[in-house]
Amino acid sequence: MATSDKIIQVQNLKKYYNKGALKALDDVSLDVNKGDVIVLIGPSGSGKSTLLRSLNLLETPTEGTILFEGTDITRKKYQTPDGKTVKVNIAAHREKMGMVFQHFNLFPHKTIMENMTLAPIQVRKMPKAEAEEKALALLKRVGLEDRAAAYPIQLSGGQKQRVAIVRALMMEPDVMLFDEPTSALDPEMVGEVLEVMKELAKGGMTMVVVTHEMGFAREVGNRVLFMDGGRILESGTPEQIFQSPTHPRLQDFLSKVL
């Protein structure tokens, strides 16, 4: 795979707390290629969310490097091949990484349309009419075009999470990061959110997903990574992970969740 196909390259990433007593990430390396749908699975506290949140520096690593589209975003500045010193603009890189959390983080005092158009208008200086047209098209894509004037309190949890996903898409990200996007939902609402994510994957969106939904991992992921103790203990295709797991810890985990 050519370097240009690698959107994210994580190298020897460590995140320690209490002077190294707690190793949330313990020497993790990972490549995310264009079009990948990488699913991180593992028990609670295994480091999945810490790894995901490190990709856009919501968590600051203790050691290691994260290259995003060729730039080491863990450094404040770097030198170009022609000797120029360039400052790393993490805000600009974050614009290219859509992030969807467990909780929807919608502004309660703003309508759905206002929630979706705020960042494109303020950050990307998109004309309001253009932003609203784009928002309506995305809301239609997830079956919520009739809710543009509603407020978050008027939506179900599943609807809010669908809005959170398309709000991230408003910035036209190169990669989408999902941190347990269905864990705060009632069981009957999980399917509608996973369906939107499946459609994104079919459309070629590069995605890194932390989830406890094993069915999604099996069906949509092209690579599944099992984490425990801050390390990636096993990685492979869904078939390899779910049908022929080799690590005893993964075998034990799957025996309890499948």
Side-chain angles (χ1 to χ4, degrees):
M1 178 91 42
T3 302
S4 59
D5 291 326
K6 292 184 181 349
I7 290 185
I8 301 172
Q9 295 168 272
V10 177
Q11 299 165 346
N12 307 113
L13 204 66
K14 299 176 182 178
K15 177 65 176 180
Y16 294 166
Y17 296 98
N18 298 335
K19 299 180 180 178
L22 176 61
K23 298 180 178 180
L25 294 175
D26 191 13
D27 201 23
V28 171
S29 295
L30 163 71
D31 285 346
V32 180
N33 301 310
K34 191 176 168 114
D36 270 347
V37 179
I38 294 179
V39 184
L40 304 176
I41 65 170
S44 296
S46 59
K48 308 182 301 296
S49 290
T50 303
L51 174 57
L52 190 82
R53 291 166 64 86
S54 296
L55 298 181
N56 62 2
L57 295 192
L58 288 179
E59 293 279 357
T60 305
T62 304
E63 288 181 34
T65 59
I66 302 167
L67 273 66
F68 176 59
E69 297 182 336
T71 298
D72 182 358
I73 61 173
T74 61
R75 295 163 64 185
K76 291 183 178 174
K77 55 189 176 182
Y78 65 95
Q79 280 203 317
T80 61
D82 58 0
K84 291 181 181 176
T85 300
V86 179
K87 287 185 178 180
V88 174
N89 184 349
I90 187 58
H93 290 292
R94 282 183 180 142
E95 285 180 31
K96 299 179 185 178
M97 296 188 195
M99 184 95 187
V100 179
F101 300 90
Q102 295 179 35
H103 298 284
F104 330 110
N105 295 340
L106 300 177
F107 294 111
H109 61 291
K110 293 186 179 294
T111 65
I112 299 309
M113 176 61 73
E114 289 168 337
N115 266 281
M116 292 190 62
T117 57
L118 185 66
I121 291 171
Q122 290 196 354
V123 177
R124 300 191 70 183
K125 309 304 179 188
M126 188 182 289
K128 184 180 179 183
E130 181 184 339
E132 289 183 346
E133 183 181 355
K134 183 179 177 67
L136 277 175
L138 284 169
L139 286 171
K140 186 173 183 178
R141 190 169 159 187
V142 297
L144 292 173
E145 68 270 30
D146 61 335
R147 309 299 282 162
Y151 286 87
I153 196 171
Q154 298 171 291
L155 271 59
S156 70
Q159 289 173 327
K160 289 176 191 173
Q161 196 60 296
R162 280 185 277 161
V163 170
I165 292 171
V166 291
R167 179 182 59 176
L169 293 176
M170 285 289 292
M171 299 296 283
E172 300 179 348
D174 294 339
V175 60
M176 286 282 286
L177 310 176
F178 293 88
D179 190 6
E180 299 191 30
T182 60
S183 66
L185 299 178
D186 291 336
E188 67 227 29
M189 297 176 184
V190 168
E192 64 192 61
V193 174
L194 293 180
E195 204 54 47
V196 173
M197 294 170 66
K198 288 175 189 176
E199 289 301 315
L200 279 180
K202 285 179 190 173
M205 174 61 74
T206 306
M207 298 162 61
V208 184
V209 184
V210 172
T211 186
H212 293 291
E213 299 291 335
M214 296 300 124
F216 176 87
R218 285 179 114 144
E219 182 183 346
V220 184
N222 71 307
R223 270 196 293 156
V224 179
L225 277 56
F226 173 70
M227 293 189 69
D228 196 22
R231 302 179 74 95
I232 297 172
L233 299 185
E234 191 163 343
S235 66
T237 64
E239 292 77 16
Q240 291 169 332
I241 292 295
F242 290 105
Q243 295 176 18
S244 308
T246 58
H247 197 286
R249 184 67 187 92
L250 174 57
Q251 293 170 355
D252 178 59
F253 174 78
L254 292 176
S255 74
K256 292 171 181 173
V257 300
L258 294 181

